[in-house]
Amino acid sequence: MMIEVHNLTKVYNEKRGLLPTSFVVEKKELIAIIGHNGAGKSTLLKMLAGWLLPDSGEVLVDGIDLKDRTALVRKVGFVPETPNLFDFFSVEYNFKLFARLFQIPLVRIEETLKEFNLLTYRHNKIQVLSKGLKQRVSIGRSLLADPPVLLFDEPTSGLDFEMTKEIYRLLKSTHASGKTVLSSLAENFLTRGGLSHKVICKCMQYPVQAEGVYPSRHGYFS
């Protein structure tokens, strides 16, 4: 198994958050996480990425404990809903900063700029890019270190139809390259397209109390 989650919990102000949640994800699976606003989707993904510490519970990613954050960051790439890029630096320099941090060969920057059609924008500052382009840069940066697991938090939020299709294309191509992918996505797209292998359904009224894993190819949800 690539990811094992056991009784993972995070509660804010004794109200919202994520109550005990358990599931497993196999290697190279494409998993969709659905649920209403406040259901705990972002909290779950941020904990899996090591951005948040859980109140309790255990997580193993490719055998690495969530508490080993130094090792975890090399296993997990995370694309947050709002790209956490340096706005006053160029696309290329954002990549270089990340590459230096993780001792990634600079040739990977050129490969990523080409793969994500960003060569034209390499010298552009992040602040002048559209939201869709920022998201493309964010996805590219998350893949620089070639992690086996990719997490996407609402990757199409606020994007127009054409850019949404582009992000879905990138998501599917990322999975096709052999990555294990978890993403919070729009339920109507899942029902229509059967994109994922499984669905982790966070559908309860707040506070979140339930979790289930279901096949999505026929649009089945709890």
Side-chain angles (χ1 to χ4, degrees):
M1 289 175 286
M2 179 57 77
I3 300 174
E4 300 176 64
V5 177
H6 302 286
N7 295 318
L8 195 64
T9 305
K10 184 73 175 180
V11 179
Y12 305 102
N13 300 322
E14 300 181 354
K15 292 182 180 180
R16 287 182 177 269
L18 190 73
L19 293 193
T21 298
S22 301
F23 60 90
V24 297
V25 177
E26 302 291 344
K27 289 184 178 181
K28 299 183 180 181
E29 282 194 315
L30 176 54
I31 306 297
I33 302 170
I34 64 170
H36 60 77
N37 290 338
K41 303 186 301 297
S42 293
T43 297
L44 172 61
L45 290 171
K46 286 176 180 177
M47 285 193 289
L48 294 180
W51 282 33
L52 286 177
L53 292 176
D55 294 337
S56 61
E58 296 181 346
V59 176
L60 293 177
V61 178
D62 200 17
I64 295 174
D65 193 284
L66 189 67
K67 299 181 183 69
D68 189 354
R69 301 179 75 180
T70 301
L72 185 70
V73 295
R74 294 188 176 276
K75 291 289 184 179
V76 178
F78 181 44
V79 181
E81 181 177 356
T82 301
N84 63 326
L85 303 166
F86 293 98
D87 284 347
F88 295 104
F89 293 152
S90 69
V91 171
E92 183 175 11
Y93 195 65
N94 268 270
F95 282 180
K96 283 183 176 179
L97 287 173
F98 191 84
R100 289 171 183 167
L101 181 64
F102 289 95
Q103 299 180 332
I104 299 166
L106 294 182
V107 67
R108 278 289 296 145
I109 294 175
E110 292 300 317
E111 293 171 352
T112 303
L113 288 169
K114 183 177 181 180
E115 180 181 355
F116 286 85
N117 297 318
L118 291 169
L119 288 171
T120 304
Y121 307 99
R122 68 188 306 159
H123 299 303
N124 290 43
K125 291 183 178 180
I126 297 297
Q127 63 182 352
V128 304
L129 302 181
S130 67
K131 183 169 183 179
L133 280 172
K134 289 179 182 177
Q135 195 69 303
R136 200 189 301 174
V137 174
S138 184
I139 295 171
R141 189 189 63 176
S142 72
L143 285 166
L144 275 176
D146 197 27
V149 177
L150 265 294
L151 309 176
F152 295 83
D153 187 10
E154 299 286 356
T156 61
S157 176
L159 302 184
D160 62 27
F161 179 72
E162 289 301 319
M163 189 53 70
T164 294
K165 287 200 303 182
E166 172 66 9
I167 295 302
Y168 281 137
R169 184 192 67 78
L170 290 173
L171 192 154
K172 288 190 285 186
S173 66
T174 298
H175 173 248
S177 70
K179 307 294 185 186
T180 301
V181 177
L182 282 78
S183 179
S184 52
L185 293 169
E187 181 177 347
N188 60 351
F189 178 84
L190 289 170
T191 306
R192 189 169 65 246
L195 175 66
S196 66
H197 297 145
K198 295 179 183 176
V199 174
I200 298 172
C201 189
K202 309 300 301 180
C203 305
M204 302 296 289
Q205 295 288 325
Y206 115 148
V208 176
Q209 300 184 65
E211 173 275 326
V213 180
Y214 304 91
S216 68
R217 67 184 63 182
H218 301 300
Y220 295 156
F221 303 95
S222 67

